[in-house]
Amino acid sequence: MSGLRLLVVGGGGREHAIVWALRRSPLAKEIYAAPGNAGIEQVAACAPIEAEDVDGLLRFACQQAVDLTVIGPEAPLALGIVDAFQAEGLRVFGPTQAAARLESSKAFAKAFMQRHNIPTARYAAFDSYDRAAAYLDKLSSPVVIKADGLAAGKGVIVCDTPQQAHAALRHVLLDGAFGAAGQTALIEERLSGSEVSLLAFCDGRTVVPMPPARDHKRIYDGDAGPNTGGMGAYAPAPDVPPQLVGEIVRAVLQPAVDGMAAEGAPYVGVLYAGMMLTADGPRALEFNCRFGDPETQAILPLLETDLLDVLLACTEGRLDQLEVRWKPRSCAAVVASSPGYPGSYPKGLVITGIEGVDRDDVFIFQAGTAHSAGQLVTAGGRVLAVSALGDTLTEALRRAYDTLGGIHFEGMHYRRDIGRSAAL
Ligand code: AMP
Ligand code: GLY
């Protein structure tokens, strides 16, 4: 097969990394992105269609005779974009709407984990505030309150006290803070330990794990301040050796893929297990039904095998016949964000210093960027990530930070401690 026409849906740093990796494939002829961003525009033809505009994307894919569409974010997956494309006979990488419930409904995911003996925190789900509050009053240990549906990463409230837990329940179930996503609330046992993201390619049957990655969700150094979409990541996490990866595949990812197949919703795409490494062993905190952001920016530079080969093998159910190889190196991705993010922030700040940076070992993956009057400017909260490869994590981090030192926009913020605890 040669000369494929590809479409990548989304417009963040994750999608820039996906397009960048696909661009290296000799099988890729034309690459489109929708809506893309100013960085993606340099390596793909961007169409101004929003990622949630399933009908618009379907029309575009038909018009352009796209051979494979790759879905970046969760929202179109939850809307059933894969089902819509498949109904038109189009090839698409990502789970169906039914399979994407592993992310789009936390109540579904928790009940599923229980049915399939996947280790996870104890929980109960409620749609009545009174019953939830009564249940909470009987618990003595700390809890986490979660809105059932997609809430752009904001639907999880980790509580220190029963008062906070009651307030969180009111927020979700009575105030309707998350709209339809909060019609059901989960009360979960609060676990402790370090977290790791284990992403895997899946073809409905076979699970091929990627290098374990670690995200940094808080805005400030030392994990202080509010949650963000992710301020940096590195892979592989040195405290998650291959044997532990194997254990998570056996206990979590493979049973999830087998369970979805047994329940009539075979899982094809990237399955992302958010894990907590507790004193009692690894526990699944959540599933995501897509590549992580910014994990992808730290994982894909490590992929030795052609990404397009891997994605095709997934959609054709022959992942067991492909050897997926990874570079024996480390990769670190550090995100630069707009002043004020994750609160409100200005846009249109001129970005300098990124020309000529891309070398063999350093890549800039843009997120919230745009062109204005011939200049590259900020256009979102997370503006770009600098990803760097190194023979060690320390070397990768040094390269990423050295490069960031030469990039500027007014009020640019980035964490100084990405990977620090692991690199020591
Ligand atoms: P989730 O979107 O479910 O991964 O939750 C977001 C974050 O909340 C996770 O990355 C954890 O830091 C935290 N979290 C979620 N569930 C739990 C839990 N059961 N115990 C402790 N922390 C949790
Ligand atoms: N980095 C977390 C996520 O992609 O959901």
Side-chain angles (χ1 to χ4, degrees):
M1 197 173 351
S2 72
L4 295 185
R5 300 164 69 81
L6 311 175
L7 168 63
V8 175
V9 172
R14 162 182 54 205
E15 288 77 21
H16 193 180
I18 292 170
V19 169
W20 167 86
L22 291 173
R23 196 24 99 209
R24 298 157 81 100
S25 171
L27 295 176
K29 186 167 94 190
E30 195 74 55
I31 306 185
Y32 300 99
N37 62 39
I40 295 176
E41 218 169 76
Q42 294 172 353
V43 276
C46 292
I49 309 169
E50 288 307 315
E52 286 100 64
D53 180 2
V54 173
D55 292 340
L57 291 165
L58 185 56
R59 264 196 309 277
F60 180 82
C62 289
Q63 277 160 9
Q64 303 298 331
V66 166
D67 297 299
L68 172 70
T69 301
V70 183
I71 314 299
E74 62 275 21
L77 293 165
L79 289 171
I81 192 169
V82 169
D83 311 66
F85 273 55
Q86 285 175 347
E88 290 296 319
L90 295 177
R91 182 161 38 184
V92 54
F93 177 82
T96 60
Q97 188 172 40
R101 276 182 303 167
L102 282 177
E103 175 168 4
S104 65
S105 169
K106 290 183 188 290
F108 172 83
K110 292 295 284 191
F112 174 87
M113 286 193 256
Q114 256 183 357
R115 283 199 291 284
H116 297 281
N117 293 317
I118 294 173
T120 186
R122 283 192 299 271
Y123 86 107
F126 298 95
D127 43 25
S128 138
Y129 170 75
D130 290 338
R131 295 215 331 272
Y135 175 85
L136 191 58
D137 283 334
K138 286 190 284 191
L139 299 179
S140 51
S141 44
V143 298
V144 178
I145 306 294
K146 299 185 177 182
D148 172 49
L150 294 181
K154 299 195 175 73
V156 175
I157 306 153
V158 180
C159 306
D160 291 318
T161 65
Q163 290 74 21
Q164 277 177 4
H166 276 287
L169 268 185
R170 283 195 297 274
H171 194 55
V172 177
L173 286 174
L174 293 184
D175 305 344
F178 302 103
Q183 269 164 10
T184 300
L186 276 65
I187 302 178
E188 252 183 58
E189 162 197 21
R190 179 173 167 182
L191 302 174
S192 56
S194 67
E195 289 183 46
V196 66
S197 308
L198 190 62
L199 284 67
F201 294 109
C202 306
D203 70 352
R205 221 161 24 108
T206 301
V207 170
V208 173
M210 304 183 206
R214 184 162 287 124
D215 185 10
H216 297 62
K217 290 202 170 99
R218 304 291 183 129
I219 186 78
Y220 299 125
D221 286 13
D223 292 331
N227 259 320
T228 69
M231 295 301 294
Y234 59 90
D239 58 324
V240 187
Q243 168 264 333
L244 182 51
V245 169
E247 191 181 330
I248 298 170
V249 170
R250 276 191 302 280
V252 177
L253 289 164
Q254 191 66 58
V257 167
D258 293 346
M260 292 307 284
E263 295 187 12
Y267 195 97
V268 177
V270 170
L271 184 58
Y272 166 144
M275 301 296 305
M276 181 83 88
L277 307 176
T278 76
D280 301 323
R283 299 281 183 272
L285 293 179
E286 62 160 350
F287 285 119
N288 292 321
C289 60
R290 48 169 175 84
F291 281 106
D293 190 338
E295 286 94 333
T296 305
Q297 294 90 309
I299 290 174
L300 288 184
L302 293 167
L303 182 61
E304 184 93 52
T305 307
D306 183 333
L307 176 65
L308 185 47
D309 268 343
V310 183
L311 303 186
L312 290 171
C314 289
T315 61
E316 291 164 9
R318 52 175 179 78
L319 197 50
D320 59 338
Q321 285 155 45
L322 188 77
E323 194 203 346
V324 180
R325 280 172 292 108
W326 301 92
K327 297 188 171 86
R329 306 186 77 192
S330 290
C331 188
V334 182
V335 171
S337 60
S338 292
Y341 175 78
S344 61
Y345 50 83
K347 292 184 183 177
L349 306 169
V350 175
I351 305 168
T352 57
I354 75 163
E355 302 77 20
V357 160
D358 282 35
R359 293 189 299 263
D360 286 348
D361 286 342
V362 182
F363 320 100
I364 299 196
F365 296 126
Q366 298 185 29
T369 59
H371 285 297
S372 171
Q375 288 182 302
L376 184 67
V377 299
T378 64
R382 290 187 296 167
V383 175
L384 55 84
V386 175
S387 291
L389 288 166
D391 289 334
T392 61
L393 177 56
T394 306
E395 188 181 71
L397 286 163
R398 186 181 48 71
R399 284 204 178 110
Y401 279 113
D402 281 354
T403 305
L404 261 175
I407 296 175
H408 179 80
F409 54 86
E410 199 185 319
M412 171 171 124
H413 167 76
Y414 59 89
R415 278 181 61 161
R416 306 309 203 252
D417 67 343
I418 301 302
R420 186 179 290 163
S421 57
L424 287 179

